[in-house]
Amino acid sequence: MKINEKIITKIEGEAKLKVYGEEIIDFVEIEFYNFRGIENYLVNRHYMDALVINPRVCGICGHSHLLATARAIEDAFNIKPSKKAQILREITTGLEIIQNHIKWFYITFMPEIIKDKSKMLKAISIASYASKIIALIAGQFPHNSYIIPGGVTCDLTNLEILKIEDMLKILKEQIIKEIIDESGYSKDLEIFFENVDKNIGKGINRFLVLGNNFYFKNNGELELVKEEKKNVFYDDKFFEVGPLSRNLENEVVKMIYKKYQDSVYSRVFARLYEMVLIIEYLLKIIKEIDICEENYIKHVPKNSKGVSVIEAPRGSLIHRIEIENEKIKKYDIIVPTQFNLSSYTKENPSPAQAALINERIENINIVFKCFDICSVCFTH
Amino acid sequence: MKEALMNTMRKRIEELRALPGVGEKSIKEVLEENGFTRRDFLKWSAALAMTLGLPASFAPVVAEAAEVSDRLPVVWLHLAECTGCSESLIRSDAPTIDDLIFNYINLQYHDTLMAAAGWQAEENYEEALKKFAGRFILCVEGGVPTKDGGEYLTIGAHAETGLEKLKRSADKAAAIIAVGTCSSFGGVQAAYPNPTGTVGISKVLNKPVINVPGCPPSAKNIVGTIVYYILFGALPAVDNFNRPKFAYGLRIHDLCERRGHFDAGEFVEQFGDTGAENGFCLYKVGCKGPYTFNNCSRERFNQHTSWPVQAGHGCIGCSEPDFWDAMAPYEEPLANHKFMSVNADAVADKVGLTLLTVAGVAIAAHAALSAIKNPKE
Ligand code: SF4
Ligand code: SF4
């Protein structure tokens, strides 16, 4: 059998696919081959240092890593931040997801078929608007450190919150007008699929949601997650995580899923439509901010273990920390890309492998990229 | 003097103009397409002239330099990193004039952005090295792993190591700019115990490298450095860490909006206290502004929206060498040795190095700090 090696670029970093088969993909192995070793630097440092180091796992979703870190420490020390702090965190992490999805679709995915620079520029300007709102709360984007165990460092005035609300409204209008509307219609998405079969890339049809931030509801137990080398199993099986998995409860997404199952189209659709759902959610919770609440609650460190799981742009993200004498004894991160892009056997393939198997080779980029791959996260 | 300087620049611009450019359109057309007027452009040029420390009358020359900027194309190389630099530089702030000019002069070869500029593949990188040999500007993002022959980072179909690719590219470059702390000083990969042996690129090259650190660095500093090179054909004046003085000449602390509170001895004692509500100085909750040379307090981020100190978190010192080890713990004052968090012996020399170099300039601040701290403790 012919074996092809294919380098996939234009994702964050690059990946190597070892493809078996000629016109039709018989089997495929996925390899990321850069290594940075972030978890190693954390050992022996003060636990607060993780807040500054971990966002550097990834420049695209670093803010989710920051939140996961703070929540793991909070879990270890049993701290519960005020509702106000939690809402602010949801706003900034929600906006991170939105700007991620916009950039992913217009810069990484769409150019596979549609090479139109003006669309890209339009998208970038909407995404920068989202980043700007994050900066108002967090100081800058990417790589801020305003989330700390016990709350947030910023102290917003009523006026600032009103301003943020206004900006969220404008952002919502832009998304609806330029990208995808409330009914789920997206012109750019349809243009993309004009000559691409909407049914390609069906995966394993098993979905997992571990985080319950935003409006998401978890459907799994953390204890059942197992990491073996870089492969991640749930209950000894592979599961797909990400926007499609966590939005299946939504009527509009459900309709698309019924029609196209877990195909490339459904994944891309869910990712785009999630922006509308998240921004609506943010507009709802911002109204619940009680300005008089604490920004930050003080804590006393102790020897302990903590774990956190949140829904990040690409799916469920898990952080585990072990603290001894205020120092980190052990740190472990499992990123969503590991769930989706594990590399295993033909009999028991990961979601991405399953999606690629039996597809035509010319569709390889589209099918692979529809998972929104982040190799810098994978190789953390 | 001024005349002479202006003439040198004009001459250089003329020389560049004679070369073929990479851009298909003129910068004028690009800006117009994106809704910027000639006036906006001149305003931008005046601001950049100021950033570079040139008199306002140089604005038109800066504008001309921007116009011929595509004659010295920028080739972009990614090594071990988080891609946050490109995220910050090109994607979050677009499309300002900085970004457009940035796009205009390069990015054809910037991996994650290739889509944006023309979806080229690896071959184009090689083609660019050949075609523009001796005149392209090499921008490197990310540190270079050196342990075990650099095998922790391999690029492309032939599994070339990052180290080899960097050396080979640097050989042909006219100027080399290290973008971000990773590329300048190794960055987060190089933090103790540095499992991959990552270093800043200047450590493995025998050509001058100009460092534009920051995690992430600001677009203004990068564009400024490039335009400077175009104007003068030489890299700007640098400090002892090879950082351009125009951007890294002052400490964060010097222009910080909370500085008045520092001077008055008004500090946030812990996050969330009344001091935090009043916007007091963040020194005691770990601000490293007094030890950090950069212009964040002046330039801010995300279209001048804000910066970390404004959001209530201290500066973490991200543009200083080895800040990952030297500035930790990040939420405690440096003076607080009880918290010396990493393996203290292993990083003691790094800490010494960073602080020593600061000491010369910042001695006054140290004195001020102890003067204020003592009575309070
Ligand atoms: S300097 Fe910071 S932002 Fe840039 S690549 Fe390194 S970790 Fe990422
Ligand atoms: S110590 Fe930090 S917060 Fe205080 S004045 Fe200096 S830079 Fe500003």
Side-chain angles (χ1 to χ4, degrees), chain A residues 104-119:
Chain A
W104 170 80
F105 184 68
Y106 287 96
I107 299 182
T108 306
F109 196 68
M110 194 157 181
E112 284 294 330
I113 306 276
I114 316 280
K115 302 183 193 314
D116 180 345
K117 211 165 170 178
S118 68
K119 286 199 188 305

Side-chain angles (χ1 to χ4, degrees), chain B residues 81-103:
Chain B
E81 38 113 19
C82 80
T83 71
C85 286
S86 16
E87 201 54 28
S88 148
L89 286 176
I90 309 102
R91 290 209 198 159
S92 336
D93 277 7
T96 62
I97 297 187
D98 284 330
D99 298 304
L100 292 172
I101 292 195
F102 216 48
N103 267 309

Side-chain angles (χ1 to χ4, degrees), chain A residues 130-190:
Chain A
S131 314
K132 198 168 168 169
I133 310 177
I134 305 180
L136 268 176
I137 303 173
Q140 78 180 86
F141 185 83
H143 289 346
N144 55 68
S145 313
Y146 95 109
I147 300 178
I148 47 176
V152 293
T153 61
C154 61
D155 184 47
L156 298 178
T157 60
N158 251 332
L159 207 66
E160 280 165 323
I161 290 172
L162 284 177
K163 184 172 170 198
I164 292 163
E165 191 181 337
D166 270 352
M167 290 176 81
L168 288 174
K169 280 187 195 142
I170 295 173
L171 180 64
K172 181 181 165 188
E173 277 161 28
Q174 285 178 346
I175 291 172
I176 284 174
K177 189 166 148 253
E178 306 283 353
I179 303 174
I180 185 165
D181 71 16
E182 282 136 318
S183 72
Y185 176 73
S186 161
K187 196 164 135 231
D188 291 342
L189 182 66
E190 295 312 317

